[in-house]
Amino acid sequence: NAGVTQTPKFRVLKTGQSMTLLCAQDMNHEYMYWYRQDPGMGLRLIHYSVGEGTTAKGEVPDGYNVSRLKKQNFLLGLESAAPSQTSVYFCASSRGGNGYGYTFGSGTRLTVV
Amino acid sequence: DQQVKQNSPSLSVQEGRISILNCDYTNSMFDYFLWYKKYPAEGPTFLISISSIKDKNEDGRFTVFLNKSAKHLSLHIVPSQPGDSAVYFCAASAGDMRFGAGTRLTVKP
């Protein structure tokens, strides 16, 4: 009964380095999302996917890329990390679109120095 | 361009009393509204939702009210318990979901 699992939980990157955050869900959900949480800003949508092989941009997509090669996995990539990308990243999944509550992972705290 | 706003960063309430958390939105296309609860070092968890065709939805101690003409929704928790102490996020959906900045609720014993 894992739900949504995010790895890693913590990471420190140097400016310019790249990394991939992995999100895995075991609920057979079609929709998956990546959010970032910053103080005073709430959760902002980076990218999302409405099914295997699909991706779409959210509110703040610049500097990030995503892939959904398998239904259960949604990867978030940072090609060249910047200090402005220091944040807590949350992955979520849902059965459908409107009205369905999201199931969130426990987050990845990323610091870019 | 924050389409969902929670103007109170924090709220403190005595145990047993009512907690009222407020949320305003600007986009009239939103048709579902949700509340999430978040404890430290955990992801948000879904609490309660309401469709734009309703004005009230109740689930145990939690009730959400929607005033479409004012573009305002509120979450009532009655009676408040110390375990309700958390950050509460308001969210609205018209396809993808937009979140407010959150309100930290503290329920004092």
Side-chain angles (χ1 to χ4, degrees), chain A residues 71-88:
Chain A
K71 186 177 184 178
Q72 63 267 35
N73 296 336
F74 196 29
L75 279 62
L76 178 71
L78 286 73
E79 292 182 345
S80 179
S84 61
Q85 294 178 302
T86 293
S87 187
V88 180

Side-chain angles (χ1 to χ4, degrees), chain A residues 31 33 35 37 40-45 48 57-59 90 97-107, chain B residues 1-2 31-32 34 36 38 41-46 49 87 89 93-102:
Chain A
Y31 290 57
Y33 315 84
Y35 284 87
Q37 184 191 10
M41 302 289 290
L43 292 145
R44 290 182 294 168
L45 182 64
Y48 64 100
K57 294 181 180 180
E59 296 174 79
F90 288 100
N98 275 357
Y100 287 94
Y102 292 2
T103 301
F104 280 87
S106 58
Chain B
D1 178 26
Q2 265 196 304
D31 53 5
Y32 277 93
L34 305 92
Y36 286 81
K38 185 183 180 304
E42 294 183 10
T45 54
F46 170 69
S49 66
V87 176
F89 289 100
S93 178
D96 60 64
M97 196 173 296
R98 302 298 173 101
F99 287 79

Side-chain angles (χ1 to χ4, degrees), chain B residues 9-28:
Chain B
S10 63
L11 173 69
S12 183
V13 169
Q14 207 67 34
E15 181 179 5
R17 299 290 184 103
I18 184 171
S19 295
I20 301 176
L21 296 99
N22 293 304
C23 178
D24 297 293
Y25 63 95
T26 57
N27 188 346
S28 57

